Amino acid sequence: MALVETDLLGVIAAGTGCGLVLLDKDDRVLYWSPQMAEISGISAAQIVGQSWSNLVLPSGFTGAEGAGNPVFAPAATVLSGIVFYPVTAGQGVAGRRLGVLRMTSQLEGKSDEFPFVNENAQGIPNQHALFELLQHQLAYHKRYRTPFSLLFLRMKNFHTFVEVLGVDNWEITSRAVYDQLSAIVRMADSVGLYDRATFWMVLANSDLEGTRVVAEKVKRLASSMKVEAIDVFLAVAVGAVLARDDERSDDLVRRGLAEVEEALKAVVGISVAG
């Protein structure tokens, strides 16, 4: 499989929080995403080339409380939530299927068994998802000179809402904000929650001016949202940065968080930097 195609599947897996497996027309594994490797404990090097129908994975252990020998079962049984989709046929690749395993928050309470958790309890991509996505985006940026930006949206009156509504109701509000943000970005863009008061957005193929336009749009949208339970509008600040050459993901996040802090001080509540 071409390196570019592998990179693309990696970006999709990181950005969506899904585990991916690509099969050829003979049901042999062509691609096994890092998320699948983390769930199963078996690396792509051990999986690629094997027949999916004959593949077995660890499903538990004999004995009480995980003691004893590992028990194996067919991959389709262990990964029962996986759904396969036909891949549009191209030259020489007819009959391929892409398996998608959505990493839902149902796994969150089982971190020992499923260490890769990409969503919070509301199904919103979290910090883990952001850093996975940034690693791939920065690699693309370095190789293909494709620009992208990172945007943070900070809820200035977060503590007011939590004090009045409680944590559970605030999390319901967070989900509503996430749904609204997801609805206004392009399919290539990604949205998630960095912490309880801060959303992140990765804007693909976005230059400085395009990022500024999106930042203003996001600011207007979020500021117009009203929490009916206490009849109060959200107060927000938006900070964004453009990815730089040879930058690490943690450095990019650090700059983005610094910009949203600057936005908190600014009259307009927006700060965008290259």
Side-chain angles (χ1 to χ4, degrees):
M1 191 169 60
L3 180 60
V4 171
E5 187 175 18
T6 301
D7 286 347
L8 180 59
L9 287 173
V11 170
I12 293 172
T16 61
C18 295
L20 302 180
V21 55
L22 181 65
L23 308 179
D24 66 11
K25 61 182 179 63
D26 297 317
D27 260 12
R28 289 191 301 266
V29 178
L30 295 174
Y31 175 78
W32 185 254
S33 76
Q35 293 85 343
M36 297 293 260
E38 198 159 0
I39 289 174
S40 65
I42 301 179
S43 69
Q46 297 171 281
I47 295 290
V48 171
Q50 293 198 40
S51 168
W52 174 258
S53 58
N54 296 328
L55 184 63
V56 293
L57 299 174
S59 63
F61 294 86
T62 60
E65 298 183 358
N69 299 315
V71 176
F72 290 83
T77 299
V78 177
L79 304 174
S80 59
I82 197 166
V83 178
F84 284 94
Y85 301 90
V87 177
T88 302
Q91 186 175 3
V93 296
R96 294 196 301 178
R97 294 186 299 148
L98 181 65
V100 180
L101 180 66
R102 189 166 184 270
M103 313 287 281
T104 69
S105 58
Q106 294 172 2
L107 304 180
E108 194 158 9
K110 305 177 182 179
S111 57
D112 291 338
E113 297 177 69
F114 301 97
F116 189 92
V117 177
N118 248 28
E119 297 178 346
N120 68 7
Q122 287 69 49
I124 303 174
N126 58 16
Q127 277 194 39
H128 192 138
L130 171 62
F131 280 96
E132 288 283 339
L133 177 58
L134 289 179
Q135 288 179 12
H136 291 285
Q137 288 283 11
L138 287 167
Y140 262 23
H141 175 65
K142 183 176 182 179
R143 183 177 301 171
Y144 304 113
R145 316 306 304 164
T146 304
F148 77 94
S149 58
L150 172 63
L151 181 149
F152 283 107
L153 173 71
R154 176 73 53 80
M155 304 296 176
K156 295 194 289 186
N157 50 356
F158 160 74
H159 292 293
T160 300
F161 286 113
V162 171
E163 288 172 5
V164 176
L165 298 175
V167 173
D168 290 342
N169 283 330
W170 169 253
E171 289 177 347
I172 294 172
T173 301
S174 293
R175 178 69 208 198
V177 175
Y178 167 74
D179 290 339
Q180 289 292 320
L181 294 176
S182 299
I184 67 168
V185 298
R186 301 163 301 176
M187 289 185 65
D189 300 329
S190 302
V191 181
L193 194 61
Y194 188 80
D195 58 39
R196 282 180 172 172
T198 311
F199 284 89
W200 58 262
M201 303 176 73
V202 174
L203 308 177
N205 199 25
S206 181
D207 58 16
L208 189 61
E209 183 56 33
T211 301
R212 184 172 289 109
V213 170
V214 173
E216 292 172 351
K217 184 178 181 180
V218 167
K219 173 73 164 52
R220 288 196 304 271
L221 170 73
S223 298
S224 67
M225 295 185 66
K226 188 177 184 181
V227 180
E228 298 296 340
I230 56 177
D231 196 29
V232 175
F233 286 94
L234 297 178
V236 302
V238 178
V241 289
L242 212 62
R244 294 174 179 171
D245 294 343
D246 298 319
E247 187 168 35
R248 299 189 312 176
S249 55
D250 53 348
D251 292 329
L252 180 58
V253 169
R254 192 176 300 113
R255 287 201 299 120
L257 292 173
E259 283 304 312
V260 82
E261 290 295 332
E262 288 298 316
L264 287 169
K265 305 171 188 175
V267 175
V268 294
I270 297 176
S271 181
V272 181

